[in-house]
Amino acid sequence: MKSCVSPASHLKQTTLLPLRSRTMALFLQTSFLTSSSSLRQKPCLSSWASHISSSRTRTHVHAKIREIFMPALSSTMTEGKIVSWVKSEGDKLSKGESVVVVESDKADMDVETFYDGYLAAIMVEEGGVAAAVVVVPPSPSAMASAVHPASEGGKRVVASPYAKKLAKELKVELGRVIGSGPNGRIVAKDVEAAAAVATELGSPAAKVSAAPAVQVPPGIELGSVVPFTTMQGAVSRNMLESLSVPTFRVGYTITTDALDALYKKIKSKGVTMTALLAKATALALVKHPVINSSCRDGNSFTYKSSINIAVAVAIDGGLITPVLQDADKVDIYSLSRKWKELVDKARAKQLQPQEYNTGTFTLSNLGMFGVDRFDAILPPGTGAIMAVGASQPTVVATKDGRIGMKSQMQVNVTADHRVIYGADLAAFLQTLAKIIEDPKDLTF
């Protein structure tokens, strides 16, 4: 989009920039000297050119253009999508102020301006894609912040991409929806709730959201070809990369009666089963550091200095792995609080890069869906991933020859065979089983 904006009397000229990977142009209150030759290239500035030519004088223009590029917000990000512009052309900007919300391969991030000035031109509209470039900002927080306001003076509503899509389908006006995400950000459940209220009140939205004869999930058009989202594209690339790693799998059955009893005892204090499994895994990794290692070049491997447990979470339009850092050192109560915080941020697509790309070992749990066992694909850059199935009552034979009932779960570990061998995994799983079957150390 091309435009010429002069929001203040001291701003004399707007220069139009090529598209490339730029997302916007920004006026700065500094000085530079221009000539009529540069002005003749800009149709919207012809009046300025003729004025300068007729007066035969050189004009000092108190404005300078700064470009803001699409930042590479993670090591795997090659391009980003513009979710929404927080500011409009002509708006005054202050250093550190959020300007645009960008969808990276993992999360939605606010991009802030490093300068004071005015937003001269938006070069990539909402929904557009720009190539990412490596940016070295003054500090991590200056590049992108964890939260952003839901609106700017009532002019713009900030919502997740899926929420916007759903609102369009259900004929819900986002400006009337109260968001429940971080700082009032509108997410899918807010739109669904608004549509439900409209149905009860008999508004036009009721007709749109009425169930069709054939039940099709919202947002799906049968027979259509749907391009990957930014996140789905990143997942696809990572899965293809993992195919180059020689992996193997080892399964183990673990009795969970004691763990289940502990969970019931401390659940009221905010402890989650995910945190308990992460803590048990981290304590087992302390005794088997090779399982926490990784191989990048095929010629060496690295023993990781920290035990950071990444846990797979399904979100709208993809999959992400929030990381519980130093899980072996953090107490179970703090770990549970941190996990809830990470999940909330993940579902609002507000995770910071260090919160999802620093995992050293990954857990994938489908037990809550009743899945008894499955295999997981090894994420690039790690040595192992463990797939956790549901804990189910099982008839077993006791040591004295009697028949008994115990709750048991199946875990399957996929590992990089260049670094980790069968005996390594077997020893690790034995240690893990002992910790889970006698979980007294999990609450220390």
Side-chain angles (χ1 to χ4, degrees):
M1 183 183 75
K2 296 182 177 180
S3 63
C4 291
V5 182
S6 184
S9 59
H10 63 278
L11 299 177
K12 304 298 185 181
Q13 172 188 347
T14 297
T15 301
L16 302 180
L17 304 178
L19 181 61
R20 298 182 184 176
S21 63
R22 295 156 175 79
T23 58
M24 72 177 187
L26 179 67
F27 267 134
L28 295 184
Q29 299 175 26
T30 55
S31 299
F32 71 99
L33 195 63
T34 187
S35 66
S36 60
S37 61
S38 65
L39 296 177
R40 284 197 297 270
Q41 299 173 10
K42 314 295 184 274
C44 61
L45 300 172
S46 58
S47 60
W48 285 103
S50 60
H51 171 73
I52 295 173
S53 177
S54 61
S55 63
R56 294 183 180 181
T57 60
R58 301 180 73 187
T59 303
H60 287 277
V61 182
H62 298 284
K64 186 175 183 180
I65 297 295
R66 289 284 189 183
E67 303 159 8
I68 290 188
F69 296 88
M70 175 69 71
L73 301 175
S74 72
S75 59
T76 59
M77 179 178 171
T78 58
E79 62 182 22
K81 180 179 179 181
I82 303 299
V83 176
S84 62
W85 286 93
V86 180
K87 293 291 188 178
S88 301
E89 290 184 348
D91 285 355
K92 185 175 181 179
L93 305 178
S94 299
K95 182 178 180 180
E97 194 171 15
S98 295
V99 179
V100 61
V101 181
V102 173
E103 179 186 3
S104 71
D105 54 356
K106 300 292 185 181
D108 286 1
M109 312 287 279
D110 276 12
V111 177
E112 302 174 353
T113 174
F114 302 151
Y115 313 102
D116 294 326
Y118 293 82
L119 179 56
I122 292 176
M123 313 305 293
V124 180
E125 293 290 343
E126 292 182 1
V129 175
V133 296
V134 178
V135 178
V136 183
S139 66
S141 61
M143 178 178 67
S145 63
V147 296
H148 55 75
S151 65
E152 176 61 32
K155 294 186 295 182
R156 188 177 301 278
V157 175
V158 177
S160 72
Y162 182 64
K164 288 185 177 181
K165 182 178 180 182
L166 198 58
K168 185 176 181 181
E169 293 167 355
L170 299 179
K171 306 298 183 184
V172 172
E173 186 179 344
L174 284 176
R176 298 179 179 271
V177 178
I178 298 176
S180 63
N183 288 293
R185 191 167 188 264
I186 299 172
V187 294
K189 66 179 182 180
D190 302 322
V191 177
E192 292 169 347
V197 171
T199 300
E200 294 176 0
L201 297 177
S203 71
K207 298 178 181 179
V208 178
S209 60
V214 178
Q215 295 291 334
V216 178
I220 295 180
E221 182 180 349
L222 299 181
S224 62
V225 177
V226 182
F228 280 163
T229 63
T230 307
M231 180 177 290
Q232 288 170 331
V235 172
S236 177
R237 291 190 296 272
N238 286 340
M239 295 302 96
L240 289 174
E241 183 180 346
S242 71
L243 293 178
S244 63
V245 178
T247 59
F248 73 109
R249 297 163 180 81
V250 174
Y252 206 89
T253 301
I254 302 176
T255 299
T256 62
D257 290 318
L259 183 67
D260 294 338
L262 175 63
Y263 176 57
K264 290 179 181 178
K265 182 178 178 181
I266 60 179
K267 180 181 179 181
S268 61
K269 298 180 180 180
V271 174
T272 66
M273 180 57 75
T274 297
L276 285 170
L277 291 173
K279 183 69 172 180
T281 301
L283 293 179
L285 289 172
V286 171
K287 299 180 179 180
H288 303 275
V290 70
I291 311 299
N292 196 49
S293 67
S294 67
C295 173
R296 277 290 191 181
D297 57 8
N299 298 311
S300 62
F301 66 97
T302 303
Y303 286 112
K304 300 299 177 64
S305 58
S306 300
I307 296 178
N308 301 333
I309 305 297
V311 184
V313 173
I315 60 175
D316 290 341
L319 179 74
I320 198 166
T321 53
V323 177
L324 289 168
Q325 298 184 2
D326 296 318
D328 58 317
K329 301 173 183 176
V330 179
D331 68 87
I332 192 63
Y333 303 102
S334 299
L335 206 62
S336 295
R337 288 192 295 270
K338 184 63 177 178
W339 176 243
K340 184 180 184 304
E341 174 191 331
L342 290 171
V343 170
D344 289 343
K345 293 178 71 173
R347 289 177 177 162
K349 300 188 73 177
Q350 291 297 304
L351 287 175
Q352 296 296 292
Q354 69 271 15
E355 294 175 321
Y356 61 76
N357 64 11
T358 56
T360 60
F361 184 96
T362 306
L363 287 179
S364 182
N365 184 6
L366 293 180
M368 68 287 291
F369 299 108
V371 175
D372 59 356
R373 68 176 66 197
F374 68 103
D375 289 328
I377 298 176
L378 181 68
T382 60
I385 179 172
M386 185 166 69
V388 181
S391 177
Q392 299 176 332
T394 307
V395 177
V396 298
T398 61
K399 293 181 179 180
D400 58 4
R402 297 181 180 182
I403 299 298
M405 186 75 71
K406 292 184 178 181
S407 293
Q408 294 184 329
M409 70 178 183
Q410 306 289 329
V411 297
N412 290 336
V413 180
T414 302
D416 185 344
H417 214 334
R418 297 173 300 177
V419 181
I420 302 169
Y421 306 128
D424 297 324
L425 272 190
F428 164 74
L429 288 171
Q430 285 178 335
T431 299
L432 178 64
K434 290 179 181 178
I435 293 173
I436 290 178
E437 292 172 0
D438 184 14
K440 61 182 183 296
D441 293 338
L442 297 184
T443 54
F444 288 156

